[in-house]
């Protein structure tokens, strides 16, 4: 794969190779290179073929930002993923599972970074409630609501 990437893949068909390379680089903790590869994949094919790969790309970008200590950027990537999934895939398929997962991620991230954002708990609650609305049988958002209510205690 490395030789293929060095050859300068630059068509939408090669976006998957950049995405996979970015994932490998992320797992090897080569964060700047991973970010470059994932961004290249999204430039070449903004849809990345399907909503699950698209979701994975944005979650990887969020993870990179988190590992680099930039919680604001990490949350921004997840917010961008919600908007992107709705715009790119919402009209043609049921994206409820993907959106529910994103809202769960956002709820968890806002809870984890509640000291960094004045409205973090409110944002966490909104996202947990959206996740429940989309997939009411998943347990995680209910746990997040419990954590949110606990965090609001004086």
């Amino acid at each position: 794969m490395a030789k293929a990437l060095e050859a300068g893949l630059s068509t939408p068909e090669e976006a998957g190779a950049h995405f996979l390379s970015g994932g490998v680089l992320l797992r090897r903790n080569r964060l700047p290179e991973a970010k470059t590869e994932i961004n290249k994949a999204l430039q070449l094919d903004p849809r990345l073929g399907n909503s699950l790969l698209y979701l994975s790309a944005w979650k990887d970008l969020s993870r990179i930002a988190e590992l680099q200590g930039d919680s604001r950027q990490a949350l921004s990537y997840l917010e961008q993923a919600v908007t992107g999934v709705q715009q790119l895939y919402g009209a043609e398929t049921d994206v409820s599972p993907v959106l529910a997962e994103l809202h769960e991620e956002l709820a968890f991230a806002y809870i984890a970074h509640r000291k960094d954002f004045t409205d973090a708990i409110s944002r966490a609650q909104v996202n947990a409630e959206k996740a429940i609305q989309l997939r009411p049988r998943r347990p995680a958002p209910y746990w997040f609501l419990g954590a949110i209510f606990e965090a609001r205690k004086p």
Side-chain angles (χ1 to χ4, degrees):
M1 184 184 328
K3 289 185 181 191
L5 294 174
E6 289 171 12
L9 299 174
S10 60
T11 66
E13 293 78 28
E14 285 95 14
H18 287 284
F19 169 68
L20 291 173
S21 176
V24 169
L25 291 165
L26 169 58
R27 277 126 195 97
R28 290 184 177 172
N29 206 33
R30 293 169 56 185
L31 304 180
E33 294 165 285
K35 183 178 178 180
T36 299
E37 288 299 315
I38 295 166
N39 280 325
K40 179 75 171 178
L42 288 166
Q43 283 177 327
L44 292 173
D45 181 6
R47 296 172 57 95
L48 277 180
N50 67 60
S51 58
L52 293 177
L53 290 179
Y54 181 87
L55 169 65
S56 294
W58 286 99
K59 285 174 68 174
D60 283 353
L61 287 172
S62 178
R63 180 76 179 130
I64 291 166
E66 188 73 37
L67 290 169
Q68 291 176 327
D70 191 347
S71 59
R72 289 192 186 279
Q73 184 62 55
L75 287 162
S76 175
Y77 283 136
L78 292 175
E79 296 278 2
Q80 288 175 57
V82 169
T83 302
V85 165
Q86 290 169 330
Q87 289 175 350
L88 293 172
Y89 298 99
E92 60 192 55
T93 185
D94 178 17
V95 293
S96 299
V98 173
L99 285 174
E101 184 176 335
L102 281 169
H103 286 297
E104 286 178 17
E105 293 266 343
L106 280 163
F108 178 76
Y110 279 118
I111 292 167
H113 295 289
R114 63 183 171 268
K115 293 181 177 155
D116 301 333
F117 302 92
T118 57
D119 61 345
I121 294 300
S122 296
R123 287 183 180 203
Q125 182 173 347
V126 165
N127 281 286
E129 288 171 350
K130 284 182 182 177
I132 290 168
Q133 182 182 24
L134 292 165
R135 307 253 345 249
R137 293 181 186 237
R138 289 179 57 93
Y142 295 100
W143 182 88
F144 296 147
L145 284 178
I148 290 163
F149 292 128
E150 186 68 27
R152 286 193 167 144
K153 284 185 178 178

